[in-house]
Amino acid sequence: LQSLFYKLQFNPNTVGTKDLTRSFGWDSMDSFTQHDVQELNRVLCEKLEEKMKGTRVENTIQHLFEGHVVNYIECINVDYKSTRKECFMDLQLDVKGCKNVYESFDKYVEVETLEGQNQYRAEGHGLQDARKGVLFQDFPPVLQLQLKRFEYDFTRDMMVKINERYEFPEKLDLDRGDHKYLTKDSDKTIRNTYTLYSVLVHSGGVHGGHYYAFMQADGKQWLKFDDERVSKVSQSVAVEEQFGGDGSPDNGNLQPGFGDNNNNVPAVRFPRHSSAYMLVYIRDSDRDHVLCNVDKQDIAEHLRTRLDKEQEEKEKRKKEKQEAHLYTYVKIATDKDIALQIGNHACFDLIDFDHPEVFKLRLQKQMPFKELKSLVESELGIPVTQQRYWMWATRENRTYRPSKVLTAAEDETRIMDLKEPPGLAKNTLNLFLETPVSGQHALPQVEPGDILLFFKLYDALQQTLRYAGRAFAPITSKVRDLFPQMCQFAEFPLDEGLHVFEEIKNEPAVMCERIEKHNSLHKCQLEDGDIICFQKALADEGTDAAPSPSMAYPLIPDFLSYVKNRQVVQFTKLENHEEVIQLELSKLNTYNEVVEALANEIGIDDPAKIRLTSHNCYSNGPRPSPIKYQGVEKLSEMLVHYTQVTNILYYEILDIPLFELERLKSLKINFHNENTEEVDTYTLRLPRDSKVEEVLQELRRRIPNSGSEPLRLMEVFYHKIYKVFDENEKIDSINEQYWTLRAEMVSDEERNMSTNDKLIHVYHFNTRNNGSAAQLQNFGDPFFFVLHEGETLSQVKERLKMKLNVPSEEFAKWKVAFCSMSRPEYLEEDDIVISRFMRRDSYGPWEHYLGLEHEDKNPKSRAGQPARFSYDKPIKIYT
């Protein structure tokens, strides 16, 4: 943050924010997630306060932005007053119902009278009529005002943006009205007159948009800051045009070409979607202190030095990028690098050139190769006469090995002309530097027909692999001729029996094949850069190996296959994601081997009682459906989600083996009482070929005092009843994953219906205005209801009130409508309700129902529906 403001102050160019967001601990997803700017401002200030503690600038944030309010409750008829002082860093002002900032402040300090059923319980005086309100003790030097452009609409059950016109002055006087916003004991010597210095604008709607800001740091010229673009604007653009509405004081803004008196076209007004969201005022008496001039000498020397150095490094990297076409990187691997990586960083091939320990030079492409040798001598201390270089090549089997030696003939060749085979990075040249082996001072003489071989040693007892060395060998020699050299590398007796293998490739599977000691190197098809792996023989020569039981991987191919396929898996408990068990397994492990390993770790006698669920990489949680018993062949299949690979599996412990559970159908059923209220939830398990009748019998057995009334089972989705199951229907066809299953008793009234009565659906709803049409939004628990012949709405309402057990005062606010295809037709008190339902239900009864319109007092009942708010994820600064 210091670096950002330093660059803003002294850098003539735009400044990126990637370093800042990275310092917050954010990834690219966090940086591009739509968030509320006021929330970011608050979280950032809190983090700055925390970081400033114990330093010379402690309490700076409070000094600049903190004001205080006094909440009070004062009794009218007795001498009693309760007060509570609170601090604020910004003020949230109502926009809806207010024309300007002053009206919002008037509303902020508005007095509420507590009387009747809302009386205040005063200590020692009982219930009393009282006045409740808020007054300001003091205002801060920098006053931050957030305009409440977004609010929750309970009727529509969604967040909405308020685009009404809302005015704010350039000069704000909070001492107006004889200090009516301040407490009696506040310091009246401080003049609370403020000047507007910044307007932050939100353009867009509730589900997304764009922020930009207007500022006048010098108090004269307004500037617009819109991402990397900064431009001068007039006062009217920065202030008046950000009032919202449709941009005109009378809410009537004629657009060019519309409403012209000459053509008599009706006036058309377009609402603005951009409006001020936050305002920053600075108290006039504190302006010079807050907006003081800053030059480099005002910044601590150590900070200035560090920031200048960072800037120099960035300029250097920028220059390197611009000159990249003139330079290339040369990476040089040595025996030391190979020894460092094999068995530690890697086991396959010879070297990973991306490892940070590998020596790297940035050289001009025109440089002769012999100058590279001189640079290596000065950097690594290896004389030019002891340097021999090998080019690398990617083979057809995707291994990467030294393939061609560079001789004195290439000394005058330019670096750019030492080309590797196609397919490799063109701006990097990889080389192997051969130097004299230990104890020698000169490079070995390479005879025609000699090949360069590399050796790896495997210790079967310790289960370790290391780089042993390299050597030249005639192509016509036998494999057994290499044994003395290998024994010398391993410090074995020269007559030690050895198993010898060639490491051929590791993709897509490991190929490491035994080579016979009596064969020639030519017959074994060995060439420059090939890798020989060897180990002590496990049995006498000519017999099969008899490994010790303690050896998990007795031979090199076994060990390499293990390394290739080993996988560390994090097993997370399904119901509690904080409990994590980490196990090292093989990607080739079968389903049974995976659950057995987990069962051993957590102490479960029967691995079949463990059920696994794969990880969803996109939602970062468990997938909806668990893995079926032996439903996958290998662990690797469990860890793949589309194109993503994870190392997470979720597990749960069942009370019966999984294969038995899968022969059963699990149903989660919500049981509702006669008042439509949910009483309990039951999870039943029955054989998949069971019928609904058996479900109801089992449910009756579990429900306390269930009596003899018949039960029914229904499918409910988005607060509508879509199906009542027939008792003879098989339960295997029920999809409980997306539908809610609900059971209830069938009432006496319904069982004793006459032929003239009608059973209908009743749903709760509220409306959302959308132009001239009203959209219905269902909520709550739907239910069945019997309509009697000739019954009026007033009679139906009385029975509905009793069934739902709703107080008369509350029910009087409800409206009743006949709803058809999501269109409500409101009924009058003397309407015969059953007459509306005599038509045929061509689209299903869920589209022709009796609707009860009222406020949803339990929005949480919408759980499971798509998110409707734009700022669901809270802002966090992690560092």
Side-chain angles (χ1 to χ4, degrees):
L1 191 63
Q2 288 174 325
S3 174
L4 180 76
F5 278 98
Y6 182 82
K7 293 170 185 174
L8 284 171
Q9 185 74 15
F10 301 110
N11 196 327
N13 302 317
T14 58
V15 180
T17 58
K18 188 177 291 185
D19 290 342
L20 178 67
T21 54
R22 190 183 295 119
S23 75
F24 290 169
W26 292 2
D27 56 22
S28 57
M29 182 66 73
D30 291 313
S31 299
F32 288 100
T33 299
Q34 179 81 16
H35 284 304
D36 180 56
V37 71
Q38 185 266 344
E39 184 186 2
L40 173 61
N41 182 48
R42 177 180 53 79
V43 172
L44 181 58
C45 286
E46 288 176 358
K47 185 62 68 171
L48 287 174
E49 283 185 77
E50 178 187 322
K51 296 292 184 182
M52 289 177 175
K53 284 181 180 177
T55 70
R56 289 190 303 169
V57 291
E58 186 174 358
N59 297 325
T60 299
I61 297 295
Q62 292 92 323
H63 173 72
L64 287 173
F65 302 109
E66 187 175 278
H68 297 89
V69 295
V70 175
N71 296 277
Y72 68 88
I73 299 177
E74 184 176 18
C75 292
I76 297 173
N77 301 317
V78 297
D79 185 16
Y80 183 87
K81 185 175 183 179
S82 170
T83 61
R84 184 179 73 255
K85 186 177 179 180
E86 295 179 350
C87 63
F88 66 86
M89 303 294 285
D90 56 33
L91 291 175
Q92 296 184 350
L93 299 183
D94 285 333
V95 172
K96 192 172 184 179
C98 300
K99 294 181 179 179
N100 54 49
V101 168
Y102 287 123
E103 287 193 12
S104 295
F105 269 98
D106 291 341
K107 189 174 181 180
Y108 200 97
V109 300
E110 197 172 56
V111 177
E112 177 187 358
T113 302
L114 306 178
E115 56 187 358
Q117 293 184 348
N118 199 28
Q119 280 185 317
Y120 174 65
R121 186 176 296 278
E123 186 177 351
H125 299 282
L127 293 174
Q128 294 288 332
D129 291 344
R131 286 185 288 268
K132 178 183 178 182
V134 177
L135 288 172
F136 292 91
Q137 180 72 38
D138 55 65
F139 292 103
V142 180
L143 180 63
Q144 301 180 106
L145 303 180
Q146 186 213 352
L147 308 183
K148 292 164 69 173
R149 290 281 182 186
F150 299 95
E151 69 172 27
Y152 181 72
D153 188 324
F154 286 95
T155 304
R156 297 157 65 180
D157 186 26
M158 63 185 297
M159 293 292 289
V160 295
K161 184 179 181 182
I162 301 169
N163 282 313
E164 298 173 3
R165 180 179 176 85
Y166 181 88
E167 299 179 2
F168 45 89
E170 277 201 272
K171 292 290 184 178
L172 180 65
D173 183 6
L174 295 179
D175 288 335
R176 66 195 292 265
D178 194 21
H179 304 91
K180 65 179 180 179
Y181 303 133
L182 295 165
T183 59
K184 292 180 180 179
D185 59 347
S186 61
D187 187 355
K188 304 299 191 299
T189 62
I190 300 176
R191 281 288 287 131
N192 291 303
T193 55
Y194 289 80
T195 300
L196 181 65
Y197 279 88
S198 180
V199 179
L200 191 141
V201 178
H202 179 268
S203 175
V206 69
H207 297 295
H210 176 61
Y211 289 111
Y212 53 92
F214 297 93
M215 294 177 62
Q216 56 160 353
D218 59 358
K220 299 175 183 178
Q221 176 63 58
W222 282 96
L223 301 174
K224 180 181 179 181
F225 292 80
D226 189 355
D227 290 340
E228 73 277 7
R229 299 180 297 277
V230 180
S231 55
K232 293 181 179 181
V233 297
S234 64
Q235 183 270 350
S236 62
V237 172
V239 181
E240 281 87 352
E241 290 190 14
Q242 310 313 319
F243 288 165
D246 52 22
S248 60
D250 60 354
N251 276 349
N253 186 29
L254 300 185
Q255 300 298 315
F258 294 90
D260 193 312
N261 290 332
N262 295 328
N263 55 25
N264 296 319
V265 177
V268 178
R269 300 185 178 97
F270 295 101
R272 291 183 182 275
H273 294 285
S274 61
S275 53
Y277 185 59
M278 286 190 73
L279 309 173
V280 179
Y281 285 89
I282 299 178
R283 190 157 51 201
D284 293 341
S285 58
D286 294 297
R287 181 205 178 281
D288 293 339
H289 171 69
V290 174
L291 297 177
C292 57
N293 292 324
V294 177
D295 57 36
K296 285 197 173 184
Q297 300 308 313
D298 296 317
I299 299 169
E301 184 178 356
H302 73 280
L303 181 61
R304 189 170 68 244
T305 302
R306 178 174 65 83
L307 295 175
D308 286 342
K309 185 176 180 181
E310 287 179 2
Q311 187 61 29
E312 289 174 6
E313 289 175 352
K314 284 194 174 183
E315 292 295 331
K316 180 181 177 182
R317 287 195 296 270
K318 183 179 178 181
K319 183 179 179 182
E320 288 178 356
K321 191 174 182 180
Q322 292 172 341
E323 298 177 348
H325 64 288
L326 301 176
Y327 289 83
T328 190
Y329 284 101
V330 178
K331 294 182 179 180
I332 301 173
T334 63
D335 287 308
K336 181 180 177 182
D337 297 312
I338 298 174
L340 179 68
Q341 292 191 29
I342 298 300
N344 298 309
H345 178 71
C347 288
F348 301 102
D349 266 355
L350 292 172
I351 193 74
D352 175 10
F353 277 98
D354 292 329
H355 194 279
E357 295 292 330
V358 175
F359 182 66
K360 182 172 73 172
L361 290 170
R362 184 172 182 263
L363 305 175
Q364 289 187 353
K365 292 180 179 180
Q366 301 290 338
M367 176 185 287
F369 182 60
K370 65 180 180 181
E371 293 187 22
L372 165 65
K373 296 181 179 180
S374 301
L375 282 173
V376 171
E377 180 176 10
S378 62
E379 292 287 337
L380 301 182
I382 302 172
V384 172
T385 56
Q386 296 181 6
Q387 299 176 26
R388 182 156 58 202
Y389 291 90
W390 291 73
M391 300 280 290
W392 293 73
T394 300
R395 298 180 176 180
E396 289 184 4
N397 61 13
R398 291 189 283 178
T399 56
Y400 193 47
R401 308 285 175 81
S403 63
K404 175 189 173 184
V405 66
L406 298 177
T407 64
E410 279 89 9
D411 280 356
E412 298 299 329
T413 304
R414 298 177 302 178
I415 297 291
M416 63 182 295
D417 295 329
L418 295 173
K419 296 189 179 296
E420 294 191 34
L424 297 178
K426 296 181 179 179
N427 204 37
T428 302
L429 174 65
N430 295 332
L431 298 172
F432 171 67
L433 172 56
E434 179 193 350
T435 56
V437 296
S438 178
Q440 299 185 14
H441 301 286
L443 291 165
Q445 186 69 30
V446 181
E447 300 296 337
D450 285 355
I451 58 174
L452 176 64
L453 299 175
F454 294 84
F455 296 86
K456 295 179 184 179
L457 171 65
Y458 175 61
D459 187 332
L461 289 175
Q462 300 297 324
Q463 307 282 281
T464 58
L465 182 72
R466 70 174 178 87
Y467 176 61
R470 54 180 164 78
F472 286 96
I475 191 70
T476 55
S477 61
K478 304 288 185 180
V479 173
R480 64 171 176 264
D481 297 335
L482 300 174
F483 277 31
Q485 180 67 70
M486 289 187 278
C487 289
Q488 184 181 343
F489 283 147
E491 298 181 352
F492 292 162
L494 293 180
D495 58 350
E496 183 73 57
L498 300 176
H499 291 314
V500 184
F501 303 82
E502 181 194 359
E503 181 187 319
I504 300 173
K505 65 175 184 176
N506 62 81
E507 292 292 347
V510 171
M511 184 180 288
C512 184
E513 296 181 348
R514 188 188 289 262
I515 52 179
E516 296 298 329
K517 64 181 181 180
H518 301 296
N519 290 338
S520 68
L521 304 187
H522 176 73
K523 186 175 181 180
C524 294
Q525 298 182 354
L526 296 178
E527 58 181 318
D528 283 324
D530 278 340
I531 301 172
I532 303 296
C533 299
F534 68 97
Q535 67 179 93
K536 281 186 179 181
L538 301 178
D540 293 336
E541 188 70 26
T543 65
D544 292 334
S548 165
S550 63
M551 296 182 187
Y553 310 103
L555 297 174
I556 296 173
D558 303 325
F559 177 75
L560 291 179
S561 180
Y562 152 71
V563 172
K564 167 72 176 174
N565 295 294
R566 64 183 168 190
Q567 174 70 57
V568 176
V569 181
Q570 293 185 356
F571 290 94
T572 303
K573 212 164 187 177
L574 188 65
E575 64 269 22
N576 182 6
H577 293 181
E578 294 180 358
E579 295 185 25
V580 178
I581 295 172
Q582 191 165 287
L583 291 179
E584 184 180 283
L585 302 171
S586 169
K587 295 174 185 175
L588 303 179
N589 283 147
T590 64
Y591 176 91
N592 286 345
E593 289 170 339
V594 172
V595 293
E596 284 172 9
L598 180 58
N600 290 333
E601 182 68 22
I602 60 180
I604 299 296
D605 294 333
D606 188 358
K609 290 185 178 180
I610 293 176
R611 180 162 64 179
L612 301 176
T613 302
S614 295
H615 180 69
N616 186 323
C617 298
Y618 301 105
S619 66
N620 198 30
R623 297 178 68 176
S625 301
I627 299 170
K628 291 186 178 294
Y629 179 71
Q630 297 183 343
V632 293
E633 290 187 8
K634 296 181 291 186
L635 172 64
S636 57
E637 297 174 29
M638 303 181 195
L639 301 177
V640 175
H641 181 233
Y642 296 109
T643 58
Q644 302 289 321
V645 179
T646 179
N647 67 337
I648 299 173
L649 284 175
Y650 300 89
Y651 74 95
E652 54 188 317
I653 301 170
L654 307 173
D655 54 351
I656 61 174
L658 179 57
F659 58 84
E660 291 183 17
L661 179 65
E662 289 181 348
R663 289 199 288 264
L664 304 175
K665 178 79 172 180
S666 292
L667 299 176
K668 184 179 180 181
I669 302 173
N670 300 330
F671 177 69
H672 288 239
N673 63 15
E674 59 184 7
N675 300 119
T676 76
E677 299 167 337
E678 183 178 325
V679 177
D680 208 343
T681 300
Y682 299 93
T683 300
L684 307 184
R685 293 177 186 161
L686 291 94
R688 289 186 171 272
D689 58 354
S690 300
K691 297 180 180 179
V692 171
E693 180 183 16
E694 297 170 72
V695 173
L696 297 176
Q697 290 173 357
E698 176 64 18
L699 194 61
R700 182 183 298 282
R701 190 179 65 80
R702 295 205 190 182
I703 298 172
N705 306 316
S706 59
S708 59
E709 293 180 353
L711 283 167
R712 66 172 156 226
L713 185 66
M714 305 178 292
E715 273 183 347
V716 176
F717 185 65
Y718 271 66
H719 315 286
K720 291 183 178 182
I721 300 170
Y722 279 86
K723 181 178 182 179
V724 178
F725 290 99
D726 186 273
E727 290 189 351
N728 293 317
E729 187 171 344
K730 293 286 184 69
I731 66 172
D732 198 35
S733 63
I734 298 176
N735 186 351
E736 76 284 358
Q737 184 174 344
Y738 300 105
W739 302 79
T740 300
L741 296 180
R742 174 174 147 189
E744 64 183 16
M745 298 291 183
V746 180
S747 67
D748 290 337
E749 183 181 32
E750 186 177 331
R751 285 185 283 120
N752 298 320
M753 284 173 52
S754 71
T755 55
N756 295 325
D757 294 340
K758 187 167 184 65
L759 186 67
I760 64 166
H761 293 215
V762 182
Y763 303 155
H764 303 269
F765 77 96
N766 51 36
T767 55
R768 179 189 307 170
N769 292 326
N770 182 18
S772 59
Q775 292 185 346
L776 268 68
Q777 182 79 54
N778 293 106
F779 64 89
D781 296 314
F783 59 94
F784 287 109
F785 189 76
V786 177
L787 290 179
H788 300 308
E789 184 181 14
E791 198 173 23
T792 63
L793 176 61
S794 60
Q795 294 170 315
V796 170
K797 286 172 66 176
E798 189 62 29
R799 290 200 296 124
L800 284 169
K801 183 182 73 171
M802 293 178 62
K803 180 176 181 66
L804 299 176
N805 198 22
V806 179
S808 298
E809 276 187 38
E810 178 67 24
F811 195 77
K813 303 175 186 176
W814 292 20
K815 296 180 182 179
V816 182
F818 169 71
C819 300
S820 177
M821 302 302 294
S822 297
R823 289 189 295 272
E825 180 185 338
Y826 293 96
L827 303 178
E828 301 294 336
E829 292 293 319
D830 56 353
D831 284 346
I832 304 301
V833 181
I834 197 171
S835 64
R836 305 301 176 98
F837 291 90
M838 289 306 176
R839 66 190 73 172
R840 183 180 177 186
D841 295 334
S842 55
Y843 293 98
W846 54 85
E847 291 301 349
H848 303 287
Y849 59 87
L850 194 66
L852 304 179
E853 183 182 20
H854 60 96
E855 178 186 339
D856 181 8
K857 293 192 174 182
N858 183 25
K860 291 182 181 178
S861 66
R862 303 289 186 83
Q865 295 192 31
R868 300 173 296 282
F869 312 123
S870 54
Y871 307 123
D872 284 328
K873 184 179 178 183
I875 296 178
K876 288 185 180 180
I877 295 178
Y878 299 95
T879 56

